[in-house]
Amino acid sequence: DTEVTQTPKHLVMGMTNKKSLKCEQHMGHRAMYWYKQKAKKPPELMFVYSYEKLSINESVPSRFSPECPNSSLLNLHLHALQPEDSALYLCASSQAPGLLAKNIQYFGAGTRLSVL
Amino acid sequence: QQQVKQSPQSLIVQKGGISIINCAYENTAFDYFPWYQQFPGKGPALLIAIRPDVSEKKEGRFTISFNKSAKQFSLHIMDSQPGDSATYFCAASKAAGNKLTFGGGTRVLVKP
């Protein structure tokens, strides 16, 4: 099973709302990722968790707050977003970094976010 | 700084033809080069990947060619089918790392 499950599939929120995106994997992967993808562009890395600890934050605004409650779950909490934050938000997972690992990242289908 | 350059941005090919997408990288520390396929409304899915100790890798109709000295690699899609119509991203990373650097993407349209 190479499935990464993301919920919800679609989300519309106002600029004053608080919402959360969820991601789940059961492949035993210990690295999990959040990406943002705009139309016709490649995914842009936002955050990386390795062994449930935040290892990379690509200078993402604080209105995006990641959380990794356990090795299978990853959340992205959203607050006071701007219309330009509208995008496809992708979650991915992979083996934890290491000499014997391969950086094969498995992506979920994403959450299509619209900020009004 | 774009560390992986991908071309062309878009490509139209007739059914049964060959689609060729090229990528060039700058960072010589990269040692893992995957290709991802993405259909509209879906996340990217790993298609095929190569390490620099191999000059070519073939999986079905998909072949990666790798030129380490030129720091270039390419994807060939043989006998292209309408179902291959998608956006293709090349990427590069350190295999033991956890950060992928993506190319800009190529939208491929296969006409019946």
Side-chain angles (χ1 to χ4, degrees):
Chain A
D1 181 10
T2 58
E3 189 171 353
V4 176
T5 303
Q6 290 189 244
T7 56
K9 293 186 178 180
H10 302 277
L11 180 63
V12 179
M13 60 185 291
M15 289 189 285
T16 59
N17 292 159
K18 287 184 179 181
K19 297 286 185 183
S20 296
L21 309 184
K22 298 183 183 299
C23 175
E24 189 169 5
Q25 58 87 15
H26 296 287
M27 295 179 278
H29 289 168
R30 301 307 297 274
M32 296 186 76
Y33 310 75
W34 281 116
Y35 288 86
K36 173 182 178 180
Q37 187 177 28
K38 290 282 205 178
K40 300 183 181 181
K41 296 292 185 182
E44 296 176 37
L45 183 64
M46 300 174 71
F47 303 103
V48 180
Y49 274 83
S50 184
Y51 293 100
E52 295 93 70
K53 293 186 178 179
L54 184 64
S55 61
I56 296 177
N57 177 341
E58 293 287 277
S59 302
V60 178
S62 60
R63 57 186 184 270
F64 296 92
S65 176
E67 178 196 20
C68 190
N70 60 55
S71 61
S72 299
L73 295 174
L74 186 66
N75 297 321
L76 185 63
H77 302 297
L78 314 173
H79 173 56
L81 294 193
Q82 303 297 310
E84 58 265 29
D85 296 321
S86 298
L88 181 67
Y89 287 85
L90 294 163
C91 173
S93 71
S94 73
Q95 290 180 304
L99 289 177
L100 298 180
K102 293 181 182 179
N103 193 1
I104 300 175
Q105 295 188 20
Y106 296 90
F107 286 81
T111 294
R112 177 72 61 186
L113 174 67
S114 297
V115 182
L116 304 179
Chain B
Q1 181 185 4
Q2 185 181 7
Q3 295 191 47
V4 179
K5 294 184 179 179
Q6 184 171 345
S7 63
Q9 288 187 320
S10 63
L11 181 60
I12 300 174
V13 63
Q14 293 295 127
K15 179 182 175 182
I18 302 174
S19 303
I20 302 175
I21 306 170
N22 300 300
C23 286
Y25 64 98
E26 299 171 5
N27 188 343
T28 54
F30 290 148
D31 60 359
Y32 181 68
F33 302 89
W35 285 88
Y36 283 85
Q37 178 188 55
Q38 185 175 25
F39 293 105
K42 302 291 186 182
L46 180 67
L47 190 62
I48 186 172
I50 198 167
R51 297 291 298 268
D53 53 346
V54 176
S55 61
E56 185 175 283
K57 183 175 181 180
K58 183 177 180 179
E59 290 185 2
R61 295 184 294 106
F62 300 92
T63 299
I64 300 178
S65 298
F66 189 86
N67 185 329
K68 186 175 180 178
S69 60
K71 293 188 287 185
Q72 295 176 347
F73 57 110
S74 61
L75 176 70
H76 290 61
I77 306 174
M78 313 300 286
D79 186 27
S80 297
Q81 300 296 312
D84 297 331
S85 297
T87 299
Y88 293 81
F89 294 99
C90 63
S93 76
K94 299 176 185 179
N98 60 6
K99 190 169 180 178
L100 280 174
T101 300
F102 284 93
T106 299
R107 300 180 73 184
V108 174
L109 176 63
V110 181
K111 289 193 169 182

